[in-house]
Amino acid sequence: MQYTILCSDLDGTLLTTKNDVSAYTIAEISRIKKHLKVILVSARMPQSMTYLQKRLGIENQPIICYNGALVIDGTKQISSTTIPINIVSSVYELAEATKIKLGLYAYKEWYVEETSERVEKEIKYTKTTPVFRSTATTIADWKKRTISAHKIMLMGTKSTADTLYTELQKHHSTALNIYRSNDTLIEVAPKSVSKLSAIKQLLSPHESLKDIIAFGDNYNDIEMLQHVAMGVAVGNARDEVKAIANAVTLNNTEDGVAHFIKQHLI
């Protein structure tokens, strides 16, 4: 089948290392980008995606940030969906009770209370730097500016993350998408958006999901992979993702996406 759009997750999927794409991936994207739109779809914030767009030579394409909560095309904002500020405050209270720290993201802003191993990894891997200030200050500032979070990152231990995940599901499952990035990280986004919903916004009248091949590795990729024409899981993907995928390629560290492109896309 001839696809006209390729959508790919970044971390654990398209990225060969923690913060970059390989020369092999760049070469394969360069080969197909003349006849396929290549759209990056990630939980990342915009500036931690645009440097990868430049590396791949696809700056002319839109990007889907924050698991679909923010869609931008160059300097144009196509859509923006934020978590209501009262729910941000509630998540903060629940996190405080379990001694878990928050990372708050709104468009190109990122706030944390203090540095940590996790924060330092995020700085290194995403090539972005947060503003350090109290979460209470950030929430108060956002209330004055009438803005709110596109994403909340919750950073704890496996035990505290298990506890908080249960509490978040109990209190906010109808308003929030709550993802386990790994044993110690929880990502929170607005319930009304997803990677798939954002992709649908970018389709022109003559395009459909049947025109799309997509790649992913984690829980927040499942819906996307299930509904496009060809959903491909990388070899390191979670078992639940591999189970619903149409195909499984090599690990991200083995250039799985590039390998599949070379084997199957002319």
Side-chain angles (χ1 to χ4, degrees):
M1 184 175 180
Q2 186 64 47
Y3 309 106
T4 58
I5 304 169
L6 185 152
C7 296
S8 184
D9 170 58
L10 291 175
D11 295 282
T13 303
L14 192 68
L15 301 188
T16 309
T17 62
K18 293 287 187 178
N19 64 2
D20 209 353
V21 287
S22 68
Y24 183 18
T25 298
I26 293 170
E28 283 303 307
I29 294 295
S30 179
R31 183 177 64 80
I32 64 167
K33 69 182 182 182
K34 294 169 187 168
H35 57 277
L36 266 82
K37 295 179 184 177
V38 180
I39 300 172
L40 305 183
V41 187
S42 177
R44 288 185 173 212
M45 63 194 305
Q47 59 266 48
S48 63
M49 297 177 67
T50 50
Y51 80 90
L52 293 163
Q53 270 195 308
K54 290 177 182 177
R55 290 272 290 145
L56 294 164
I58 53 171
E59 301 101 311
N60 62 322
Q61 298 298 336
I63 54 174
I64 295 171
C65 317
Y66 299 127
N67 287 316
L70 178 67
V71 183
I72 58 177
D73 189 353
T75 58
K76 179 183 177 183
Q77 182 175 288
I78 296 174
S79 69
S80 173
T81 305
T82 57
I83 300 165
I85 195 68
N86 64 308
I87 295 180
V88 175
S89 296
S90 176
V91 171
Y92 173 45
E93 290 172 7
L94 292 171
E96 281 281 280
T98 51
K99 309 297 183 185
I100 280 184
K101 296 298 183 181
L102 278 70
L104 293 176
Y105 299 81
Y107 196 55
K108 294 185 178 181
E109 301 175 22
W110 173 26
Y111 299 98
V112 295
E113 290 196 328
E114 60 190 35
T115 193
S116 66
E117 183 181 354
R118 179 65 245 175
V119 170
E120 291 303 316
K121 283 181 179 179
E122 191 83 354
I123 292 169
K124 179 181 178 181
Y125 297 156
T126 66
K127 300 187 179 182
T128 52
T129 304
V131 172
F132 293 96
R133 69 179 184 185
S134 74
T135 299
T137 300
T138 297
I139 292 173
D141 173 47
W142 283 358
K143 285 180 178 177
K144 288 180 184 178
R145 294 162 61 196
T146 63
I147 66 170
S148 193
H150 286 106
K151 184 181 83 168
I152 303 172
M153 177 75 85
L154 299 150
M155 302 164 280
T157 64
K158 183 182 185 307
S159 176
T160 58
D162 286 344
T163 300
L164 182 58
Y165 184 81
T166 300
E167 288 298 302
L168 290 172
Q169 290 285 7
K170 177 181 175 182
H171 294 283
H172 296 302
S173 60
T174 58
L176 302 174
N177 280 324
I178 305 160
Y179 305 106
R180 291 295 289 266
S181 305
N182 59 39
D183 285 345
T184 63
L185 296 178
I186 303 171
E187 292 183 31
V188 174
K191 187 78 170 185
S192 60
V193 298
S194 66
K195 290 184 176 184
L196 181 66
S197 70
I199 289 168
K200 288 179 177 177
Q201 289 186 60
L202 294 175
L203 296 176
S204 65
H206 65 275
E207 294 172 330
S208 77
L209 295 176
K210 293 180 180 179
D211 298 311
I212 301 175
I213 179 171
F215 297 85
D217 75 306
N218 217 331
Y219 296 126
N220 56 347
D221 298 314
I222 287 177
E223 185 186 40
M224 172 178 72
L225 299 187
Q226 281 180 315
H227 289 87
V228 298
M230 173 61 74
V232 184
V234 286
N236 54 286
R238 293 185 180 272
D239 290 340
E240 297 91 332
V241 180
K242 292 178 184 178
I244 60 88
N246 300 112
V248 178
T249 184
L250 301 176
N251 290 357
N252 68 307
T253 53
E254 300 172 299
D255 297 307
V257 175
H259 176 78
F260 195 91
I261 291 171
K262 185 170 185 178
Q263 295 291 108
H264 300 279
L265 301 183
I266 300 172

